[in-house]
Amino acid sequence: MAIQSIARRFRKDNPRWVILLIDMTIVLFCYYFSSYVINSSKGRFDFELMFQKSFTVTLVYTISFIFYRTYRGIVRQAGIQDAARIMIATFSALGILMLISIVARNTFSREELFGQFLRLSYAVSFMHAFLTTVALVAARVFYRTIYESLFLHGRKLTRVLIFGAGNMGTITLNILRGDIKQKYKVVAFADDNPSRIGKMIHGYKILGINQLNESSLQFMNVDEVIIALDDNNQERLNHITQVIEACAVKIKILPSSAKMLHGQIAVNQLRPLQIADLLGRAAIQLDNPIVAEALSGRIVLVTGGAGSIGSELVRQIAMNTEAKLIVLDQAESPLYDLQQELKHLISSDSAFIVGNVRDKQFMESVFQKYKPEVVFHAAAYKHVPLMEHNPYESVRTNVYGTKIVADLASAYGVDKFVMISTDKAVNPTNVMGATKRIAEIYVSALNGLSATNYIVTRFGNVLGSNGSVIPLFEKQLKNGGPLTVTHHDITRYFMTIPEACQLVQEAAIMGKGGEVFVFDMGKPVRITDLAKRMIRLKGYRYPEDIQIKYTGLRPGEKIYEELLASDENTLQTHHKKIMIALVNTQDAQTSILKINNLCVFVCDADPEKDQMDLVSRVKALVPEFTSQNSKFMDLDVPNTQNKTTQKH
């Protein structure tokens, strides 16, 4: 009970006057000790005279400490700056005492009262200043040690290696030392800058990146490696992590110094390194102030606003513009969560609406009431295997739902309509991709027949989106594996959710109507390699700790995705990472008529009995749609024969 009581006292920062009182006690004790040592060696120690002079010493030191505020720091978090402040205050007091002593020697005789009080020994004063500085710094170190042993007693010690011996490395060291919830011990620093390797930082020798291997980290008993770089350059980060991944330790990362400057500095900013940090390319930045300016003050409708892309799009618009947001989704709970998250950012006349884009009458009421000026259409079904088994739902939402919203955009004079598409719409091998391609065709066809500017954005897989591979791997890792991959050679293009949403906004402003915008997303990522990196980033070994299991391609799944069809070329835009696909266009009126007929059929068809008929109609609209690993492959045989006949 007594130890717990003491620990509770140490949790709170002691009142500042208590710290000052303790400091002055140390000052007084050091003066008595210095006076005794110096005067005893000369055979003239006088206790009464020493006691009288101590009042002058104590008064001057008290004034100096109050002036320099040495007592105001949190003692259990004392560092080099606190030690420097103590030294300055101590030697400032010494200077004042020397000045007083010189004046007293020239003004008063030794027998006068003031002469006795104010004539101080130079030797005693110098020794006293030195001892006081050492004792005050040592006291703070002692206080901190006692605090850690009492308050953090019994907590698991985490041994940490900090990679990065620059400013961010120092910040990380201070963060770890100041954490009261977790007990950290920094065992070493490391860096890949040759000019730093071998030098010392805060008492630690800086190791080189080539010295980091499994045996060296095991020798130091390292539990975690924290990457603390002044600039999280993608290529540099990739190189560092590839070296550390093989060492079976957990890897964490500190945000860039830019975020630190905004006051976001705390232990909870340390987070596990994520695959999003290691895309294999530099993150795409679209910092265009014209985007925020163009959307500010406008009425913006976002369909599918509670989904992965839609919700991030809403967040970015809410944070960067003063637009009136109309957020629509059929998922009630995620929509409510988003509303609560953004209620302090959005305007009071913004609205969060539960509804379905397939409900024409309902959607018309939304357009009639809110009269949106810009529409971001993100509502869609996106999961390939599910849509392969539910083609009726895929067409109803991805085609008919898009048609309803696009038609209403034209009818109500919307300025710009931006559809969010996918790389799976390119040479589709599944129903989901084919329905998104039909939606692209319909939107592009409408562009030439309406005053509304219709724009399509097309990109690859989004890291961390609902149902994507990263969350799946996370769950499988928590369960001890194995990680499931459908094919050994399967690859995908990846981007982060913020990147995707920046593209969509940029396209909305850049587009003049009729464009299909695509990203230069770098090289595709092999899913097997991604799985191995995730295993290692969690501190496991592959395949000793966690294995990878190959399950075979799912219905409609491609091994390789494409961003452009074989008969498409691109035009460059003002941003080197954004291109315009020159899509093969059909006669607009014919395309619209065929898609209208498909929508009429899907509204009347039996979702169980008419699947083959429905998909055959989809294939007629998208001739390049060739099914893979699906029951709908039977529908491709006549088409293949016809193509062969035509070729001969």
Side-chain angles (χ1 to χ4, degrees):
M1 289 296 291
I3 293 177
Q4 291 178 354
S5 176
I6 294 172
R8 280 196 298 271
R9 288 180 177 273
F10 272 101
R11 289 190 190 191
K12 299 179 180 180
D13 300 323
N14 286 325
R16 292 167 182 170
W17 66 267
V18 175
I19 302 299
L20 181 60
L21 184 62
I22 294 172
D23 286 350
M24 297 320 302
T25 302
I26 293 172
V27 168
L28 197 59
F29 175 80
C30 289
Y31 178 72
Y32 288 158
F33 180 79
S34 302
S35 181
Y36 176 78
V37 170
I38 296 295
N39 290 321
S40 292
S41 64
K42 296 179 180 179
R44 58 187 187 190
F45 176 69
D46 186 334
F47 180 82
E48 184 177 351
L49 184 60
M50 177 190 69
F51 184 75
Q52 291 172 349
K53 291 182 178 182
S54 66
F55 286 103
T56 303
V57 174
T58 304
L59 178 62
V60 171
Y61 270 85
T62 301
I63 294 171
S64 181
F65 285 7
I66 291 174
F67 179 81
Y68 287 104
R69 300 183 176 185
T70 58
Y71 58 94
R72 300 194 67 169
I74 300 174
V75 180
R76 58 180 167 79
Q77 295 182 4
I80 294 175
Q81 290 183 340
D82 296 279
R85 190 180 292 112
I86 289 171
M87 184 177 294
I88 293 170
T90 302
F91 282 91
S92 294
L94 173 63
I96 295 170
L97 289 173
M98 291 296 96
L99 183 62
I100 291 172
S101 185
I102 291 170
V103 172
R105 289 173 188 274
N106 294 320
T107 307
F108 306 105
S109 66
R110 188 183 296 272
E111 288 75 20
E112 291 183 76
L113 182 62
F114 280 106
Q116 294 177 1
F117 275 36
L118 303 180
R119 290 166 64 96
L120 302 173
S121 166
Y122 297 144
V124 171
S125 296
F126 274 106
M127 182 178 179
H128 172 240
F130 174 77
L131 287 178
T132 298
T133 302
V134 173
L136 289 176
V137 172
R140 280 154 173 76
V141 173
F142 177 75
Y143 186 103
R144 180 173 182 159
T145 304
I146 294 296
Y147 170 81
E148 290 178 351
S149 63
L150 290 176
F151 182 52
L152 300 180
H153 178 70
R155 298 196 177 185
K156 183 180 182 297
L157 177 67
T158 303
R159 297 174 63 85
V160 172
L161 181 143
I162 299 175
F163 193 100
N167 293 329
M168 295 297 285
T170 300
I171 289 172
T172 304
L173 179 66
N174 292 332
I175 290 175
L176 298 180
R177 285 178 172 176
D179 185 31
I180 63 172
K181 295 181 179 179
Q182 177 66 42
K183 194 173 183 180
Y184 292 98
K185 180 176 178 59
V186 176
V187 297
F189 273 80
D191 208 294
D192 57 349
N193 186 339
S195 64
R196 293 174 178 167
I197 296 171
K199 295 180 180 179
M200 302 291 289
I201 178 172
H202 304 291
Y204 301 94
K205 187 177 180 180
I206 302 172
L207 305 176
I209 190 169
N210 295 330
Q211 295 174 268
L212 301 183
N213 52 54
E214 191 166 1
S215 60
S216 67
L217 294 185
Q218 284 182 353
F219 178 78
M220 292 184 286
N221 293 321
V222 174
D223 299 309
E224 293 180 1
V225 174
I226 296 176
I227 299 175
L229 306 177
D230 293 333
D231 179 19
N232 291 338
N233 177 274
Q234 208 75 37
E235 293 182 3
R236 183 185 181 196
L237 197 59
N238 259 317
H239 175 63
I240 293 168
T241 53
Q242 284 173 358
V243 172
I244 301 173
E245 279 174 21
C247 302
V249 294
K250 290 183 179 179
I251 305 176
K252 289 185 177 180
I253 189 168
L254 201 65
S256 64
S257 54
K259 290 186 178 180
M260 290 299 187
L261 291 174
H262 286 85
Q264 302 174 351
I265 179 166
V267 173
N268 57 18
Q269 292 295 310
L270 286 170
R271 59 170 175 79
L273 192 71
Q274 300 166 352
I275 290 294
D277 299 310
L278 307 170
L279 279 177
R281 57 171 171 81
I284 299 171
Q285 299 295 333
L286 303 176
D287 187 15
N288 189 347
I290 300 175
V291 173
E293 183 181 334
L295 292 178
S296 290
R298 309 198 77 183
I299 304 170
V300 179
L301 169 64
V302 181
T303 68
S308 303
I309 296 293
S311 61
E312 177 62 21
L313 188 58
V314 170
R315 287 186 191 96
Q316 290 188 10
I317 295 173
M319 287 188 287
N320 301 324
T321 76
E322 296 179 2
K324 175 183 175 181
L325 277 163
I326 313 301
V327 187
L328 185 143
D329 203 290
Q330 65 173 341
E332 176 202 11
S333 295
L335 190 65
Y336 172 79
D337 292 340
L338 184 64
Q339 181 187 38
Q340 295 305 302
E341 176 187 340
L342 300 177
K343 62 183 178 181
H344 298 301
L345 287 174
I346 57 177
S347 61
S348 58
D349 54 352
S350 293
F352 288 77
I353 303 170
V354 178
N356 197 322
V357 294
R358 305 190 322 193
D359 188 335
K360 184 177 180 180
Q361 186 176 353
F362 169 78
M363 289 304 301
E364 183 156 17
S365 70
V366 171
F367 274 80
Q368 192 172 27
K369 180 177 180 180
Y370 295 103
K371 296 179 174 54
E373 299 168 89
V374 179
V375 174
F376 292 100
H377 181 54
Y381 284 137
K382 64 178 183 178
H383 296 293
V384 170
L386 274 176
M387 292 304 101
E388 205 68 15
H389 292 297
N390 298 277
Y392 176 89
E393 291 298 311
S394 185
V395 175
R396 280 271 284 168
T397 296
N398 295 356
V399 179
Y400 183 54
T402 299
K403 168 181 159 52
I404 288 173
V405 181
D407 287 345
L408 288 170
S410 178
Y412 283 86
V414 170
D415 181 21
K416 290 192 176 181
F417 177 98
V418 184
M419 174 193 161
I420 296 171
S421 189
T422 170
D423 57 356
K424 293 174 178 62
V426 180
N427 294 326
T429 59
N430 52 71
V431 171
M432 191 282 286
T435 57
K436 293 294 285 184
R437 178 62 189 136
I438 294 173
E440 287 185 1
I441 294 170
Y442 189 80
V443 166
S444 298
L446 272 187
N447 185 71
L449 305 173
S450 170
T452 299
N453 297 311
Y454 290 90
I455 299 156
V456 173
T457 60
R458 185 193 286 171
F459 42 78
N461 292 39
V462 179
L463 285 172
S465 63
N466 296 331
S468 67
V469 68
I470 303 299
L472 173 64
F473 285 168
E474 292 277 2
K475 291 179 182 177
Q476 291 174 340
L477 282 169
K478 286 182 180 178
N479 294 329
L483 271 57
T484 56
V485 179
T486 57
H487 191 280
H488 186 272
D489 295 320
I490 195 167
T491 63
R492 290 293 181 264
Y493 289 99
F494 281 105
M495 65 192 307
T496 65
I497 293 176
E499 282 179 324
C501 295
Q502 289 174 42
L503 166 65
V504 172
Q505 293 173 79
E506 183 86 6
I509 305 309
M510 185 193 305
K512 305 298 183 184
E515 303 97 339
V516 175
F517 288 101
V518 295
F519 246 150
D520 176 5
M521 298 178 64
K523 295 180 180 179
V525 177
R526 191 163 166 261
I527 303 300
T528 297
D529 295 337
L530 185 144
K532 290 177 181 178
R533 296 204 77 171
M534 284 198 66
I535 291 170
R536 291 170 184 146
L537 287 176
K538 294 295 182 182
Y540 299 112
R541 295 179 179 86
Y542 168 80
E544 293 87 347
D545 300 329
I546 303 289
Q547 295 183 340
I548 295 174
K549 179 181 178 183
Y550 296 100
T551 58
L553 289 173
R554 298 172 298 177
E557 189 172 40
K558 286 183 182 180
I559 295 180
Y560 309 108
E561 295 288 7
E562 307 158 89
L563 286 172
L564 294 170
S566 56
D567 57 353
E568 292 176 356
N569 292 312
T570 60
L571 291 176
Q572 197 66 44
T573 68
H574 73 267
H575 196 290
K576 63 180 181 179
K577 293 293 184 180
I578 306 176
M579 299 166 291
I580 299 174
L582 299 177
V583 184
N584 246 4
T585 56
Q586 306 170 16
D587 176 64
Q589 294 284 7
T590 303
S591 297
I592 290 174
L593 179 62
K594 289 179 179 179
I595 294 170
N596 283 340
N597 291 336
L598 176 67
C599 291
V600 170
F601 175 81
V602 80
C603 289
D604 297 333
D606 185 325
E608 293 299 327
K609 295 181 180 178
D610 300 323
Q611 284 192 1
M612 298 300 284
D613 192 3
L614 174 63
V615 175
S616 68
R617 291 169 183 262
V618 170
K619 287 179 179 289
L621 277 165
V622 187
E624 66 271 25
F625 172 23
T626 304
S627 297
Q628 287 189 11
N629 195 30
S630 167
K631 64 182 179 181
F632 302 122
M633 291 171 63
D634 294 340
L635 298 172
D636 296 323
V637 176
N639 292 336
T640 305
Q641 290 175 347
N642 289 337
K643 289 176 184 177
T644 305
T645 304
Q646 289 172 6
K647 184 176 180 181
H648 288 296

